[in-house]
Amino acid sequence: GSFCSLDNVNIRESTVGRVCRLGGEIESSLVNDFSNKHHDGFLGHSILGSWVNLGAMTTTSDLKNNYGNIRLNYLNEVYETGLIKFGSLIGDYVKTSIGTMLNTGTCFGTGAMVFGSMDGIKYLPPFKWGCIGDDFYELDRFIRDAKKIMTRRKQIMNTDTEENLRDFYKRIS
């Protein structure tokens, strides 16, 4: 089916796609198809791509302590949002480990595998493997893992999607 699983969740002013698993607190966010935020933790003023999995207790900050405007860092550029409330931009196929704490204005590129200390980190490029060091998700492993995750939802990665992911990976590496 195309229904979401809602488990002890408080959702306010948000839009949720198909076949998501949601729990905890979600405010003013967009959660795209097949994404999970199934456990406790706060997701606020954020956009999640498809096939995202936020580990248990992953929490976004969407308001700076000084109520200042939030900046986004993306590809070594800084963008002023003009907003005092903005959480995270999380690309398709991103996974966070248990207890991940995200700073205001955090951006994760497609396929990033987020684990380790987030201290001071506001941007991870596509297919980044962990928060420290120069490691990236090996392409064939990423594709294999993504397909495995999709089968849990009775979905199959079509050839076009796989080719697009492979082309994107090659362009950015």
Side-chain angles (χ1 to χ4, degrees), residues 10-28:
N10 180 358
I11 303 175
R12 293 180 308 282
E13 300 173 352
S14 296
T15 301
V16 176
R18 301 174 301 123
V19 197
C20 294
R21 296 172 136 182
L22 304 173
E25 184 179 5
I26 301 170
E27 177 184 0
S28 300

Side-chain angles (χ1 to χ4, degrees), residues 3-99:
F3 298 102
C4 291
S5 172
L6 306 178
D7 186 19
N8 198 25
V9 64
N10 180 358
I11 303 175
R12 293 180 308 282
E13 300 173 352
S14 296
T15 301
V16 176
R18 301 174 301 123
V19 197
C20 294
R21 296 172 136 182
L22 304 173
E25 184 179 5
I26 301 170
E27 177 184 0
S28 300
S29 294
L30 172 61
V31 180
N32 279 288
D33 296 346
F34 300 101
S35 288
N36 293 330
K37 190 236 162 287
H38 195 222
H39 300 282
D40 286 340
F42 175 72
L43 177 68
H45 295 85
S46 298
I47 301 172
L48 270 62
S50 296
W51 298 103
V52 171
N53 187 69
L54 300 183
M57 298 304 294
T58 293
T59 294
T60 61
S61 171
D62 66 356
L63 180 67
K64 292 168 71 171
N65 287 341
N66 65 4
Y67 293 78
N69 286 337
I70 296 169
R71 292 178 195 90
L72 299 176
N73 297 317
Y74 184 73
L75 296 175
N76 299 318
E77 296 286 334
V78 176
Y79 299 90
E80 295 286 339
T81 67
L83 303 170
I84 65 166
K85 282 214 149 195
F86 196 102
S88 298
L89 294 174
I90 301 177
D92 293 345
Y93 300 98
V94 169
K95 311 289 183 270
T96 67
S97 66
I98 190 170

